[in-house]
Each structure stands twice: as C-alpha cells, then as structure tokens.
Amino acid sequence: MNIKELAEFLNLSTATVSKALNNKSDISNHTRKKVLEAAEKLGYRPNASARHLRSGKVGAVALLLPAADGGNVHTASFFMRIARGLQSSLKASGIDPVIHITTDRQGEQQLLQKIIEQNRADAVILTDTRIDDERILLLNDRRFPFVTIGQSRVLKGHFNWVDFHHEEMGRQCVRFALRQGAKRIAVATLGADSMHGLQFLDGCLEEMRESGQTPNDGLIFFGAVAESSGEEAMQKFMQQNAKPDFIIFINDFLLMGACHYLAGLPDCGLDEKSMLCATASSDFSSRVMSSACLFTVDHEEVGRQLGEAVLRVTQGDNAVKSVLLTLPVNAIRHHII
DNA sequence: TGATCTCGGTCTGCGCACCC
DNA sequence: GGGTGCGCAGACCGAGATCA
C-alpha cells in the first residue's frame, strides 16, 4: 500500500492525501479524518526511502565511537548508555542514531569520508576529540553538520560540542587527595593528543600549584584508554625516588591496570584507598569499582543535550552552542570518605 | 559509448474552482 | 473579493533502459 493506492481508494489526489497525513492547514477536517481513518484501516505506512529522497534527509545521525584496536569494545558500553538518551531525544524527529566502530584512525578517516561523500547521515557525532582534530576541520570544510562529545583547539573551539568540565574534575580529584593527607600526588591521564586528557591534567596541576604543591614530571603519566596503561603508569611511579602517596587516574581502565599491578606488590605502601579515578568509562567497572570513582555520569542527560544539538545542526541552525556539564560527586565515594 | 529518458514514492508551491 | 479546499506539476536521486 503506497500513497497512490490510498489516494485511489479514497478517490482523492496523492497531494491531498499527503497533506492530510502531514497535517497541513489547507485540508478540511472532514477530508483529513477520512484519510487518516483509511490509512489506519488499510495499514498504510510511508515509504521511508521515498520520503528521504524527497526531503534530502537520511533520517540517521552517525555516532563515531573512539577508534581503538579492540579497546573500544569496552568504552562502547559508556557510549551505548549515552546513545539511549540520544535516541529518546531524537525519537519524535524521526532521526535514528547509527553507531560506527572503527579499529584505527585510518579506518575512521575513511569512514568519515564515506559518510560525507555518500551522504550516509544527516549529521555526525564525533567522540574522543583531539587537541588538533582534523576530523572537525574536514566536516567544517565540507559544511557537513556535526556535533562533538569533547572540545578541540581547532576552529578556536567555535563549533557545537557537549563536554564534561574536565578541568574542574581534575581540580576536585586533587582536593580529594589533599583531604586524605596526600603529599606527593601522581596523575595518570590520557596522552597523544587527547583534548580531555590535557584538560584533566591542567585542572590537576592548577589545583596542586594553588595548594602549594610543586608538580613533579616523574609523577605524571600519559597513557591510553587501556588497563595496560595503568600498569605502565605504576611502573613509572614506582621507579621514582620519591614515590607517590596518592594516585589520580583519569578513568577506570587505568585504575584497574594499577590495581592489577599492585596485587603483585603488596608492600609498596599504596592500596586502593590511595587511588582514585575521575569517572567510569565502562559498564563493567562502574558496577565493580563504583566506590573508586569520584564522579557519576548522567548518561541520559548527555544524550539529551547531544540530541538537542543534533536537531539544531540538521535543521540548519548556524548558531553555535557549547554545553559544559559539571558532574556531581559520586555519593558512594563520598560516603566512604 | 555517451546522452537522455524513465521509474520508484513522497512532498509542496502554486494555481484553479467553488462558496459565502 | 477573499478564504478555503483540492489537484497539478515538478523536484528529489540513482539505477537501469533506451536511443542516437
């Protein structure tokens, strides 16, 4: 059953039927009611591909998960929960989130090119933004609508993004460590060109300086979103003459690796109480290690903010809006304090 | 072989007919 | 004359068919 057959059944034109179905104003209530009843009775459903052909829209937004060799299987659970909020906020507009996973940056770049050139989505949502993010430049150059989860220095940060207040998170982690009596704080953050890794470290270092502590390069580690990075961080810290008495990890993966490392060093002077991570990236660790995380993430709210941004860019709204989310302190961790 | 046409289903700008 | 309701025609895009 297509609109033509429905129109023939009603002895009306397809234009009239289309207008009635789409609630246009120049249709009488009598005709509208007749069309809607017939459509319901005959089981008419609009042909999605034809509708997209007509509107020039695909009806999908591409959510690109962080490119990582196998590692994004774990971080995927973090973004899946965000995607759920995103989906519910986009439901009414008929746009569905489509999740893409790539294993390396080359594959990610090729995928992005394909989405742009073949018009495979109405907008792109980038995650894991970088300090100098060439993906943002590409999307901007091609005038392809996009939103990011995270900031970047490109375009002077003037694009639509939703992000957590990583500097503030870093500051609060240091304040927490100081309240525990920490004298030598180590920080394990994300390296390469991770924007939020840099922001988190900046927050930690600023708070340390303001509280009279001198940051030590030997107590700063740049890693990846992987447990092995947590172990490497511990190896570095344990080699220092002045070993840390408190360690802050940007995420749970590094913390889990550190805990694994510590299991083999029971007398090193550190235990799980002298370690902390900012947020949980994976669904697994958010349950098992919930007390080790200082902040809780409202995934639904992140998804909702993303959904609003996606609607704006797909509707051609050129006004740039940035959303900075401040995360609440984890109640469980607070209780343990 | 390259150019042009046709087809699929939906939507909408514009114009026409009708009625008050 | 103006408002209302309806229909025509064309646009959207890509693949396949047809023609010169």
Side-chain angles (χ1 to χ4, degrees):
Chain A
M1 169 64 65
N2 57 32
I3 198 169
K4 191 177 172 185
E5 291 166 328
L6 180 60
E8 285 172 357
F9 174 81
L10 289 161
N11 202 23
L12 291 167
S13 70
T14 57
T16 302
V17 172
S18 175
K19 286 174 184 176
L21 292 170
N22 289 289
N23 206 27
K24 297 294 174 184
S25 59
D26 59 342
I27 293 294
S28 68
N29 287 333
H30 172 72
T31 303
R32 193 190 320 278
K33 186 168 179 284
K34 197 169 70 173
V35 170
L36 291 175
E37 284 176 355
E40 178 69 26
K41 182 183 172 186
L42 300 175
Y44 166 76
R45 294 286 181 275
N47 184 307
S49 61
R51 180 172 273 183
H52 297 151
L53 170 66
R54 175 66 181 84
S55 65
K57 301 286 186 184
V58 179
V61 54
L63 173 59
L64 271 60
L65 298 193
D69 187 8
N72 55 10
V73 172
H74 303 294
T75 55
S77 69
F78 175 81
F79 290 105
M80 290 300 175
R81 283 180 285 170
I82 289 178
R84 191 168 58 187
L86 174 66
Q87 183 155 32
S88 61
S89 69
L90 293 176
K91 195 175 178 181
S93 61
I95 299 175
D96 294 315
V98 178
I99 295 168
H100 295 269
I101 296 177
T102 50
T103 53
D104 55 49
R105 289 196 175 183
Q106 187 184 358
E108 183 187 54
Q109 188 72 10
Q110 288 171 348
L111 172 65
L112 195 55
Q113 290 274 7
K114 194 159 74 174
I115 291 170
I116 295 170
E117 289 167 5
Q118 298 180 6
N119 197 29
R120 291 194 169 205
D122 298 325
V124 166
I125 300 175
L126 293 178
T127 60
D128 192 28
T129 50
R130 301 153 198 163
I131 297 168
D132 296 304
D133 203 318
E134 72 286 353
R135 300 170 303 171
I136 294 172
L137 292 174
L138 173 66
L139 287 160
N140 186 65
D141 287 346
R142 304 291 283 271
R143 300 185 185 281
F144 199 91
F146 71 96
V147 178
T148 67
I149 306 178
Q151 302 168 59
S152 175
R153 284 183 181 164
V154 300
L155 305 177
K156 298 179 179 176
H158 192 66
F159 52 88
N160 289 285
W161 52 259
V162 177
D163 199 10
F164 305 121
H165 202 323
H166 298 289
E167 284 99 342
E168 181 58 25
M169 290 162 71
R171 281 177 170 274
Q172 290 207 37
C173 284
V174 170
R175 281 185 213 134
F176 178 86
L178 293 171
R179 285 201 297 275
Q180 309 308 301
K183 304 294 182 193
R184 292 182 306 281
I185 301 171
V187 179
T189 186
L190 298 181
D193 51 358
S194 168
M195 187 67 193
H196 83 271
L198 178 68
Q199 291 171 319
F200 183 76
L201 179 61
D202 282 347
C204 289
L205 297 180
E206 281 175 22
E207 188 64 31
M208 282 187 211
R209 291 191 192 98
E210 288 175 15
S211 60
Q213 289 218 351
T214 306
N216 179 345
D217 284 349
L219 298 182
I220 296 172
F221 178 82
F222 295 94
V225 185
E227 289 181 38
S228 58
S229 271
E231 294 190 44
E232 290 165 15
M234 292 305 293
Q235 286 169 6
K236 175 178 177 177
F237 298 151
M238 290 300 108
Q239 286 171 1
Q240 304 300 311
N241 291 330
K243 295 180 177 52
D245 56 5
F246 197 99
I247 306 173
I248 296 168
F249 297 89
I250 189 169
N251 65 40
D252 50 334
F253 285 108
L254 274 73
L255 176 59
M256 281 194 286
C259 289
H260 184 254
Y261 179 89
L262 279 185
L265 282 176
D267 301 322
C268 70
L270 286 167
D271 57 27
E272 292 183 12
K273 289 181 181 174
S274 49
M275 297 195 293
L276 174 79
C277 74
T279 59
S281 299
S282 72
D283 200 35
F284 171 74
S285 62
S286 68
R287 297 175 193 279
V288 177
M289 306 179 70
S290 59
S291 65
C293 302
L294 189 58
F295 302 99
T296 52
V297 178
D298 184 347
H299 300 83
E300 289 282 330
E301 173 63 9
V302 179
R304 195 180 64 78
Q305 293 289 350
L306 277 176
E308 287 181 10
V310 165
L311 287 177
R312 283 200 311 276
V313 299
T314 54
Q315 288 166 2
D317 186 346
N318 292 323
V320 171
K321 186 179 175 187
S322 308
V323 179
L324 195 57
L325 300 168
T326 302
L327 298 181
V329 172
N330 181 354
I332 300 172
R333 181 77 195 200
H334 200 67
H335 178 70
I336 288 173
I337 297 168

